[in-house]
Amino acid sequence: MKALQIGLWSVWVSGVLLIAISLYATRSLPFSNNPIFIHGSFSDLEAPKITIFTAPTPFTGSSGTKQSLAIRSWLALSPQISVILFSQHHSAASFATSFGSRVLVESNIDFTFLGVPFFHSMVAKSRSFKSDIYIFMDTESVLLPDFVSALNYARELDNDWLLFASPRNVSNFPFYLDNDGKHWLKDGKRIRIQELQGTLGSSWQWNCCDSRMVIAWNNGDMPLHHGVLPPFLYGKGVYNHWLINEALSSGLRFVFDASWTISNIALDDSLLWSNCLVKSSDVSDIEKGSWEYDGNSHLAAVYGSSSLHGINYSIVMKLLKCDGQYLIINTTEDFLHSCTYARTRLWIIPNCRRSKKTLACIAGTIKSQNRTLGCSLRDQIVPTKTLKLPISLESLLAIVADKNRTVVLTVAGYSYKDMLLSWVCRLRHLRITNFLVSALDYETYQFSVMQGLPVFNDPSAPSNISFNDCHFGTKCFQRVTKVKSRLVLKILKLGYNVLLSDVDVYWFRNPLPMLSSFGPATLAAQSDEYNQTGPINLPRRLNSGFYFSRADAPTIAAMEKVVRHAATSGLSEQPSFYETLCGEGGSSREGDNRCVEPETSLTVHFLDRNLFPNGAYMGLWEREDVKSACKKQGCLVLHNNWISGRVKKLERQVRSGLWEYDIARRMCLMCS
């Protein structure tokens, strides 16, 4: 009897010790090596503020219907959910208004010239919204109540976290919400969520489509990953898998897969699915040939750790819900035979006493995992040596030109790529979209493609040029400037007006309305005269880095003369402009601010320097507050010339505050 008592006492002590050890071991969960981690009920928690960020497609036809249904499904989950639509489309505002105050449109991020938003810019902008949980997902994916339940669970984890859920593709979704957005209906009759899920369960298919994944993270202290988020194009593949891979590699947050817990129902679109980057033998030719997907794939290959290893989804922790309990499991361990203890919110249960139902649920999940999600980032990264925009110059002009058939042209080489982006960012801030870029070398062309710019490569551009030393007065500068007049002439002959602007011209306001007021057969150009008084049309004072020309016969004829003169000159194109249009020594000058070319009758108007100052006028660049001084004067633009060397030019512009590009993060500086 005494031996029995001692035995029972030993069992009791052992049990207490096991519980104590379990509590200690699980205190650091979810990073524990325990294969299963459980939580109980969360009904006593305050509802978190959840913000869903997405970028809609045009709101027409079936696409508009699907997006409307999807967004209504999100809003129906909780009054604490709000939606931010990243869009520049004119119809976005009215679309958002139809849902009430919980859906807003945000356009102050970076977009490509085709209107595709940049994922890194979207993520950066999301930080300006106060929220407990941030969600990024596709606008044609429906969510069900298990989404909020899973987020409530994740919110109680001890560490900052990031979860993801792969899409479940359905070809037929016969359900819709009632007018109040509270109940799901089928054929006019109310249907329970369990019945809805059961109906879909027999028909949905897993899909690795990157753009249709749900990505969520809590508002915590830790960043999502080490390093910089590349300028991926949203909706064009790879970026979600890249983000998951980097989050796992960085180890700053607990990363887990909630695909079996969250009903992320992707409403089927055969074209969209054919464009998804997945490991498949029947990937469409459209996907293989897409420059946007190629660009994302290229970025994933050169940024972060993705080029070294891809995600091994089998070792990622999984969130399941079995027998009414949430479990985080590590499927690579032999959990079925584990008798370690796992912590819950209210009690402790030895794993070996779990119900057969729970174990069967876990086993079934792992079995389904092995035959469903074969997603791999490595499969999606297909590095390409050449990134090419499959759009001709003629097509680019038709896309970007404004209603007056006017384009803004700039020309840049690789050493000026950052100044090019600052110039582009400024135009984007001013809502000027009718610009295009001529790349002087392949490196600039590829860089511009990845930045979503309307760029073309001029085959006549000079080669073997050292762009680091290509500044005013150098042989390189002389050769490069002659490219600009040839390009302007080419575009004029295609029937488009051209405002040529160098990338070192800072725009305070849009000058096109004022420049367009000059009539036909007039070329309006900046004056390089630095004296504050006297004529501004003196010899060699026509600046060919900023001028407006119309696509009319006199202008085209005069530009042909400029190009011919520059081709035989050992100088830059700038003297050719003056000597051709104003005559040698200014013989064709009229008044203090004009010239008239006698053969074509083209009038050259030298622009008011108070509105269009050059870099030496009134010492504006030396002012303590350049921006305020120029605004007070009424400047439309300010040219960063009359300074020798690219580095000095760059330093002066950055120091003055007239800089719009975040070089480190590869995005435009956010403006409120």
Side-chain angles (χ1 to χ4, degrees):
M1 183 70 180
K2 186 175 182 180
L4 178 60
Q5 290 177 337
I6 293 174
L8 291 173
W9 177 258
S10 299
V11 171
W12 185 84
V13 171
S14 299
V16 171
L17 288 173
L18 281 171
I19 292 173
I21 292 171
S22 175
L23 287 171
Y24 176 80
T26 58
R27 187 172 300 276
S28 61
L29 281 168
F31 295 105
S32 168
N33 289 326
N34 287 336
I36 305 178
F37 175 44
I38 305 178
H39 265 288
S41 171
F42 300 90
S43 59
D44 58 333
L45 298 177
E46 181 182 350
K49 179 174 176 53
I50 300 169
T51 307
I52 298 177
F53 299 89
T54 189
T57 55
F59 314 101
T60 57
S62 62
S63 177
T65 302
K66 291 175 183 177
Q67 292 181 98
S68 180
L69 175 62
I71 294 174
R72 292 191 72 215
S73 77
W74 307 346
L75 298 175
L77 299 176
S78 168
Q80 294 298 312
I81 289 179
S82 57
V83 178
I84 306 299
L85 304 177
F86 291 109
S87 178
Q88 289 182 318
H89 199 271
H90 60 85
S91 62
S94 59
F95 180 76
T97 302
S98 66
F99 298 101
S101 60
R102 291 163 61 195
V103 179
L104 302 174
V105 176
E106 175 57 64
S107 61
N108 189 24
I109 62 166
D110 293 354
F111 293 84
T112 71
F113 74 99
L114 295 175
V116 178
F118 282 92
F119 181 60
H120 72 321
S121 187
M122 293 169 65
V123 172
K125 190 63 179 180
S126 71
R127 300 187 184 110
S128 65
F129 294 88
K130 293 183 178 180
S131 187
D132 297 314
I133 299 174
Y134 297 87
I135 315 291
F136 278 75
M137 63 179 297
D138 183 74
T139 49
E140 293 188 13
S141 293
V142 167
L143 293 174
L144 298 179
D146 55 14
F147 173 71
V148 172
S149 179
L151 292 182
N152 281 333
Y153 162 76
R155 187 173 166 229
E156 287 305 298
L157 295 175
D158 294 334
N159 301 84
D160 290 338
W161 51 267
L162 180 146
L163 71 78
F164 62 94
S166 296
R168 307 180 188 189
N169 183 25
V170 296
S171 57
N172 181 32
F173 192 80
F175 311 102
Y176 54 95
L177 285 162
D178 62 13
N179 292 333
D180 294 330
K182 295 181 179 179
H183 304 286
W184 285 100
L185 305 176
K186 180 183 180 183
D187 298 328
K189 296 180 181 179
R190 188 179 300 181
I191 183 172
R192 294 186 305 166
I193 292 296
Q194 293 81 356
E195 185 179 352
L196 185 153
Q197 290 174 312
T199 302
L200 296 176
S202 60
S203 60
W204 60 259
Q205 296 178 331
W206 288 114
N207 198 294
C208 293
C209 187
D210 182 276
S211 304
R212 288 291 189 102
M213 296 180 78
V214 170
I215 301 287
W217 62 85
N218 70 307
N219 184 1
D221 298 325
M222 302 301 294
L224 300 180
H225 58 86
H226 291 306
V228 176
L229 182 60
F232 291 118
L233 298 182
Y234 182 79
K236 305 304 177 183
V238 179
Y239 54 90
N240 278 330
H241 283 94
W242 185 94
L243 179 59
I244 296 166
N245 190 87
E246 292 305 304
L248 285 166
S249 301
S250 301
L252 300 174
R253 285 175 173 254
F254 173 56
V255 181
F256 60 98
D257 185 352
S259 298
W260 290 267
T261 315
I262 292 176
S263 298
N264 174 21
I265 302 170
L267 304 180
D268 182 41
D269 186 316
S270 56
L271 177 60
L272 175 67
W273 288 102
S274 69
N275 278 316
C276 290
L277 285 174
V278 297
K279 183 180 181 181
S280 172
S281 60
D282 61 350
V283 179
S284 71
D285 292 335
I286 296 175
E287 172 215 319
K288 291 179 180 177
S290 169
W291 65 273
E292 295 166 314
Y293 283 87
D294 286 346
N296 277 6
S297 181
H298 176 83
L299 289 170
V302 298
Y303 277 85
S305 60
S306 302
S307 58
L308 303 177
H309 59 84
I311 306 169
N312 182 354
Y313 278 94
S314 65
I315 65 172
V316 178
M317 300 289 278
K318 310 294 187 297
L319 176 65
L320 309 180
K321 190 173 186 180
C322 292
D323 201 17
Q325 297 293 323
Y326 280 106
L327 301 88
I328 289 182
I329 67 171
N330 184 342
T331 60
T332 60
E333 298 194 20
D334 187 10
F335 67 91
L336 290 174
H337 300 288
S338 171
C339 284
T340 57
Y341 285 80
R343 183 181 64 174
T344 69
R345 178 158 296 280
L346 300 176
W347 63 85
I348 299 169
I349 314 172
N351 288 2
C352 53
R353 292 184 184 175
R354 290 203 181 93
S355 69
K356 292 182 179 180
K357 182 178 179 181
T358 300
L359 296 179
C361 169
I362 298 172
T365 300
I366 294 177
K367 184 177 180 181
S368 67
Q369 169 199 325
N370 293 334
R371 66 172 184 266
T372 54
L373 288 181
C375 308
S376 171
L377 180 61
R378 186 181 297 275
D379 297 326
Q380 301 186 47
I381 298 178
V382 185
T384 176
K385 293 182 180 179
T386 58
L387 288 177
K388 184 174 178 58
L389 193 65
I391 305 176
S392 65
L393 173 59
E394 290 79 4
S395 297
L396 275 178
L397 289 167
I399 292 171
V400 305
D402 66 12
K403 62 182 180 180
N404 298 317
R405 293 179 65 85
T406 298
V407 296
V408 180
L409 172 68
T410 196
V411 180
Y414 194 66
S415 64
Y416 278 84
K417 68 182 186 304
D418 295 329
M419 189 166 282
L420 164 65
L421 262 295
S422 180
W423 181 85
V424 167
C425 289
R426 183 58 189 170
L427 265 62
R428 285 174 174 169
H429 177 70
L430 294 173
R431 297 292 188 265
I432 298 170
T433 59
N434 59 323
F435 64 88
L436 72 160
V437 178
S438 173
L440 291 171
D441 53 84
Y442 177 71
E443 291 76 15
T444 304
Y445 177 81
Q446 180 172 264
F447 175 79
S448 299
V449 169
M450 288 191 293
Q451 294 291 331
L453 306 184
V455 61
F456 64 98
N457 210 351
D458 178 31
S460 66
S463 58
N464 301 321
I465 291 176
S466 174
F467 288 104
N468 286 324
D469 300 319
C470 202
H471 52 81
F472 183 81
T474 64
K475 292 291 184 181
C476 166
F477 179 84
Q478 293 171 6
R479 294 170 63 192
V480 166
T481 58
K482 296 176 184 181
V483 173
K484 298 187 292 186
S485 54
R486 290 200 302 267
L487 289 174
V488 170
L489 177 59
K490 183 176 183 178
I491 296 172
L492 290 175
K493 288 182 174 180
L494 291 173
Y496 295 89
N497 309 316
V498 181
L499 170 54
L500 185 284
S501 174
D502 285 347
V503 296
D504 62 351
V505 178
Y506 185 87
W507 293 33
F508 289 95
R509 291 179 288 155
N510 186 354
L512 279 171
M514 187 265 190
L515 295 173
S516 299
S517 66
F518 291 100
T522 301
L523 186 146
Q526 187 178 49
S527 171
D528 237 2
E529 177 58 56
Y530 54 87
N531 290 314
Q532 295 185 31
T533 59
I536 64 174
N537 60 349
L538 295 174
R540 301 288 177 90
R541 287 297 179 252
L542 190 155
N543 190 304
S544 62
F546 187 89
Y547 62 91
F548 178 75
S549 54
R550 289 188 177 276
D552 53 35
T555 304
I556 292 173
M559 285 298 296
E560 286 178 331
K561 295 184 66 175
V562 171
V563 170
R564 285 196 300 269
H565 186 283
T568 59
S569 170
L571 302 175
S572 70
E573 69 168 5
Q574 192 151 299
S576 295
F577 265 88
Y578 191 88
E579 292 185 16
T580 300
L581 303 181
C582 293
E584 188 173 350
S587 59
S588 298
R589 290 172 52 207
E590 291 193 359
D592 291 341
N593 65 349
R594 288 184 301 133
C595 293
V596 177
E597 202 286 313
E599 292 185 10
T600 62
S601 298
L602 175 75
T603 297
V604 179
H605 182 92
F606 288 75
L607 294 165
D608 183 348
R609 290 173 301 163
N610 288 316
L611 300 178
F612 300 89
N614 60 63
Y617 181 65
M618 295 185 67
L620 288 170
W621 281 108
E622 282 68 50
R623 302 288 181 88
E624 183 176 349
D625 189 339
V626 180
K627 183 178 292 188
S628 295
C630 282
K631 286 185 175 181
K632 184 178 180 180
Q633 184 170 297
C635 301
L636 290 173
V637 305
L638 173 63
H639 205 148
N640 189 8
N641 64 345
W642 285 95
I643 187 170
S644 180
R646 178 185 63 87
V647 174
K648 291 181 180 179
K649 184 187 295 265
L650 183 66
E651 289 176 347
R652 181 165 78 170
Q653 190 155 339
V654 172
R655 185 174 63 250
S656 69
L658 303 182
W659 190 259
E660 307 290 330
Y661 182 55
D662 187 330
I663 297 174
R665 296 194 299 166
R666 291 291 181 222
M667 69 177 72
C668 296
L669 294 170
M670 296 292 180
C671 299
S672 57

